[in-house]
Amino acid sequence: MTKAFASQSDLSEKAISFTEIGEGLYAFTAQGDPNSGVIIGDDSVMIIEAQATPQLARKVIDCVRSVTDKPITHLALTHYHAVRVLGASAYEAQQIIMSDKARAMVAERGQEDWDSEFQRFPRLFEGHESIPGLTWPTTSFRDRMTVYLGNRRVDLMHLGRAHTAGDIVIHVPDQNVMFTGDIVEYHSACYCGDGHFGDWGGTLDAIKAFDLNAIAPGRGDALIGADMVNAAIESTRDFVNSTYRPAARVAACGGTLKQAWEAVRAECDPKFADYAIYEHCLPFNVARAYDEARGIDTPRIWTAQRDFEMWSNLQS
């Protein structure tokens, strides 16, 4: 009998933290679960990442209401994944912003991703019956756009491919703080199932060049101060490279996916086995690394059936 994904038995509630990372800037974190961010402007609020369901989004809203009563007018989504976007309706934001590429990925594979993620990690879809449907942006952009929350400037940028092809970061220049989505993680595994290993390092370099005061990463604790910011960027780089290198070596020799799985485990387990969602991410990371090493540039669409077939192959 094939073992279940590690995340299917992860039912423990995570403790929420709401950390100020700059003046009027907050990171909503939950012990390795998906993070959200908050930017408070002169007269309105922007939320970064919606959470997976409206019910979970209300936990973010409760934290926002503990510090401001200003209306939530903007919701920025760093990429298309279901656990990041399907709670959008709870905010009633006038503008929902994604990159052009992320919007295209909603159209291409949004429903399949929702179905796949729901069966992989059911705890993250608490109150799933309240999701009204796929989340679509009201506004999208190619490379860069700026939003003003009163006088507060917020820059949204696509710096390169990494966690997905459509990732964006959100930078607040007056505090030199960035919300990176899943391009940067802290003591949490990177999910690379839709990733671009060859580009990820360059995108990390572009983030590092800002010499940031703080980062709200995709998962894990808020990163405050240059030392913590740079350590997280470099540990993310190490995770991505340590996943890709052994899989690429196996692929170059004509080896199998299962051999790539064993090679990646041998390199990554000693360094990352205690990271949040490590066991959950590993099979998807290996499959994508193996594909990219064999010249498949666009990640194949994950479906519940493909998840099962891949996992069965690795466990046989």
Side-chain angles (χ1 to χ4, degrees), residues 115-314:
D115 295 342
S116 173
E117 290 198 52
F118 179 74
Q119 70 87 30
R120 292 183 202 173
F121 217 141
R123 180 176 58 78
L124 292 182
F125 288 86
E126 176 186 335
H128 62 89
E129 63 280 355
S130 63
I131 301 170
L134 292 173
T135 296
W136 296 93
T138 61
T139 305
S140 67
F141 65 96
R142 180 176 178 180
D143 295 317
R144 184 182 183 117
M145 71 174 289
T146 296
V147 171
Y148 286 92
L149 303 177
N151 289 318
R152 171 159 258 182
R153 174 176 170 169
V154 181
D155 293 326
L156 300 91
M157 297 168 282
H158 173 65
L159 298 177
R161 303 190 302 183
H163 174 69
T164 74
D167 296 331
I168 64 170
V169 301
I170 297 88
H171 183 235
V172 184
D174 66 76
Q175 297 290 296
N176 197 23
V177 168
M178 186 175 285
F179 301 81
T180 64
D182 288 315
I183 302 172
V184 177
E185 311 287 27
Y186 181 69
H187 212 77
S188 179
C190 301
Y191 173 73
C192 310
D194 291 306
H196 294 269
F197 290 92
D199 294 352
W200 204 316
T203 304
L204 289 173
D205 289 340
I207 291 171
K208 193 170 185 178
F210 281 83
D211 194 19
L212 296 159
N213 294 328
I215 281 177
R219 294 176 186 264
D221 294 344
L223 310 170
I224 301 173
D227 289 348
M228 198 173 184
V229 164
N230 290 329
I233 290 172
E234 293 311 314
S235 67
T236 300
R237 189 192 311 275
D238 187 28
F239 186 97
V240 170
N241 290 341
S242 296
T243 301
Y244 184 69
R245 281 193 307 260
R249 286 196 296 266
V250 170
C253 297
T256 65
L257 177 62
K258 189 169 184 179
Q259 289 171 325
W261 161 262
E262 292 166 351
V264 172
R265 289 213 77 126
E267 184 156 343
C268 287
D269 283 7
K271 294 190 284 187
F272 307 117
D274 64 338
Y275 276 27
I277 68 167
Y278 174 73
E279 291 291 344
H280 165 72
C281 291
L282 194 63
F284 305 99
N285 293 357
V286 173
R288 173 57 193 150
Y290 183 72
D291 275 357
E292 183 170 321
R294 294 183 301 140
I296 300 174
D297 182 66
T298 300
R300 292 186 287 152
I301 296 173
W302 288 102
T303 65
Q305 181 60 31
R306 184 184 168 210
D307 291 356
F308 175 78
E309 291 172 353
M310 178 268 295
W311 189 231
S312 297
N313 183 25
L314 291 179

